[in-house]
Amino acid sequence: MREKTQNVVVLVTGVAGFIGSRVAELLAQRGDAVIGVDNINDYYDVQLKYARLRNLLGVNKDGGEIEFEHVYQSSIYPKLRFVRLSIDDKVALDKLFGERKYDVVVNLAAQAGVRYSITHPYTYMQSNLVGFLNVLEACRNFNVPKLVFASSSSVYGMNEKVPYCEEDKVDSPISLYAASKKGNELMAHCYSKLYGFQTIGLRYFTVYGPWGRPDMSPMLFANAIRDDKSIKIFNNGDMIRDFTYIDDIAKGTICAIDHTLDIEKCEHNVPYKIYNIGCSHPVNLMDFISEMEHAFGKEFKKEFLPMQAGDVYQTYADCSRLEEDMGYRPRVSLKEGLENFVQWYKTYGLKFKV
């Protein structure tokens, strides 16, 4: 349920990404003014990112470059615009913030991927820490009342207690990506304490669905079927994930956009709060594979491998805080979600080099 009137002005960073594109689409569909930004980096095939943008903008951008700092107006959603820029470019970001007043900033821009952080550590520091600092500074300097930002379930690291609760210790990360996300949480708390604007951090659990990232298991498995190759199953299949469908994640994020924190219920009266956002129904990886085989109507070839550096055995979200405060409740079953993904993949996914 919305807690305030329609027609808020929302800045969404990382709008060409998996979660960001869907959040922006749902906001635009309900009539909010949305300004989306993204640097369209080449961590994975940029054509997939352009395809997400075409879905939002209604223009053909796969044949040419989208210029930095140029404004692209959506022909589908009258109140949605896209600007290509990087959040680690402080000058460009400040210019964007100075052009209009934002009611909420949603920071979903980040260098993603756990394993990639093992080999590209400086990329994570520049985007996830320097870039996030620029966003915080812009919110402070341009009087933005609320920032919603992406954290990650990876912050729970070596924590063996399940389900994961927001009060659990998160001081044992096992990847630089996880450390950068914990750093974001600490930075946001500091800015809320010092400058008084609200910050809400969302610890996303494993997200899947149409337009998903190609470095995650659903797309990797689908590509293996396409190419008649074996799927790689780490830790010999003994892994548990809290798979959550993209629409549930996007709607939960919008709950946070609409929500106003009760300062008296925030620790030390700092307008800052962290929430888990997942499905709360963890699935064994082999069961996930079985359900995906059923959706494709074909059995995978399988290659069993040991655990990879930076991975964790299980993720399991306790989302009771998000449910109690904002009414969040995931609706899409694994069966329905994978059927939707497979249908999308057969229609669109085959076109991308993912």
Side-chain angles (χ1 to χ4, degrees):
M1 298 290 293
R2 294 188 66 101
E3 297 190 3
K4 57 184 179 181
T5 60
Q6 295 274 357
N7 302 322
V8 296
V9 181
V10 186
L11 174 66
V12 180
T13 73
V15 76
F18 181 25
I19 298 175
S21 59
R22 187 59 175 147
V23 168
E25 185 176 26
L26 293 180
L27 289 171
Q29 285 176 357
R30 73 179 195 178
D32 291 336
V34 181
I35 294 79
V37 303
D38 202 292
N39 68 353
I40 317 179
N41 68 34
D42 61 358
Y43 170 60
Y44 56 81
D45 186 9
V46 297
Q47 296 307 323
L48 178 56
K49 298 182 179 183
Y50 282 139
R52 295 184 186 126
L53 289 174
R54 289 199 306 274
N55 191 51
L56 290 172
L57 300 174
V59 292
N60 185 4
K61 290 296 173 187
D62 62 336
E65 187 76 2
I66 289 181
E67 298 176 0
F68 276 94
E69 298 186 56
H70 188 82
V71 178
Y72 296 85
Q73 175 66 50
S74 172
S75 63
I76 303 172
Y77 305 108
K79 296 182 180 180
L80 188 147
R81 294 187 300 160
F82 171 75
V83 183
R84 181 172 181 177
L85 62 78
S86 179
I87 62 170
D88 62 12
D89 184 340
K90 187 177 187 304
V91 173
L93 193 66
D94 285 350
K95 178 182 176 183
L96 183 73
F97 271 76
E99 290 174 351
R100 70 185 305 172
K101 173 69 175 175
Y102 295 105
D103 298 301
V104 186
V105 171
V106 185
N107 186 62
L108 302 174
Q111 179 57 57
V114 170
R115 293 169 195 157
Y116 192 73
S117 70
I118 305 296
T119 55
H120 297 76
Y122 288 97
T123 302
Y124 287 76
M125 295 301 98
Q126 187 66 25
S127 177
N128 297 7
L129 294 181
V130 175
F132 189 63
L133 176 61
N134 290 342
V135 171
L136 287 168
E137 277 287 286
C139 288
R140 172 175 79 95
N141 292 325
F142 294 94
N143 300 311
V144 176
K146 184 197 296 181
L147 168 66
V148 177
F149 67 95
S151 185
S152 169
S153 62
S154 66
V155 300
Y156 289 106
M158 297 177 67
N159 183 8
E160 295 180 354
K161 170 188 166 292
V162 292
Y164 296 152
C165 299
E166 293 90 348
E167 294 84 359
D168 293 341
K169 286 187 176 181
V170 286
D171 54 4
S172 56
I174 60 174
S175 71
L176 195 62
Y177 171 72
S180 72
K181 287 299 183 179
K182 177 56 182 174
N184 289 169
E185 295 180 3
L186 296 172
M187 294 162 72
H189 183 277
C190 175
Y191 270 71
S192 287
K193 171 62 178 174
L194 289 174
Y195 307 114
F197 62 88
Q198 296 187 32
T199 57
I200 296 176
L202 299 174
R203 290 176 178 168
Y204 291 112
F205 282 68
T206 308
V207 189
Y208 75 98
W211 303 103
R213 278 178 26 210
D215 60 331
M216 299 187 72
S217 56
M219 195 80 83
L220 292 172
F221 294 167
N223 290 342
I225 280 188
R226 176 194 65 191
D227 300 332
D228 195 29
K229 293 182 178 179
S230 299
I231 63 171
K232 295 180 179 180
I233 303 175
F234 296 107
N235 204 36
N236 296 306
D238 187 18
M239 298 181 76
I240 296 172
R241 290 290 180 268
D242 201 344
F243 292 101
T244 313
Y245 189 67
I246 180 60
D247 283 11
D248 287 328
I249 287 289
K251 290 174 183 177
T253 302
I254 291 174
C255 285
I257 292 170
D258 293 341
H259 183 67
T260 300
L261 293 174
D262 184 341
I263 307 302
E264 294 183 358
K265 294 183 179 179
C266 295
E267 189 173 3
H268 305 301
N269 293 325
V270 177
Y272 161 92
K273 213 159 189 179
I274 293 293
Y275 293 91
N276 287 337
I277 178 167
C279 190
S280 299
H281 294 287
V283 176
N284 184 278
L285 180 58
M286 296 308 298
D287 292 334
F288 179 86
I289 290 171
S290 177
E291 194 68 62
M292 196 167 180
E293 287 175 329
H294 180 75
F296 267 109
K298 184 176 180 180
E299 188 173 343
F300 292 114
K301 297 178 181 178
K302 302 176 180 69
E303 179 184 0
F304 291 91
L305 298 168
M307 182 77 86
Q308 295 291 287
D311 271 354
V312 295
Y313 159 64
Q314 67 178 337
T315 63
Y316 181 1
D318 178 347
C319 298
S320 56
R321 175 185 288 185
L322 191 61
E323 181 177 355
E324 291 169 6
D325 287 4
M326 305 183 202
Y328 168 80
R329 187 174 297 173
R331 305 288 184 183
V332 181
S333 68
L334 183 65
K335 181 179 185 296
E336 180 185 353
L338 283 177
E339 287 175 350
N340 291 344
F341 167 76
V342 170
Q343 182 179 5
W344 169 85
Y345 184 83
K346 290 178 177 179
T347 305
Y348 296 102
L350 292 169
K351 300 178 182 179
F352 305 116
K353 242 176 32 173
V354 294

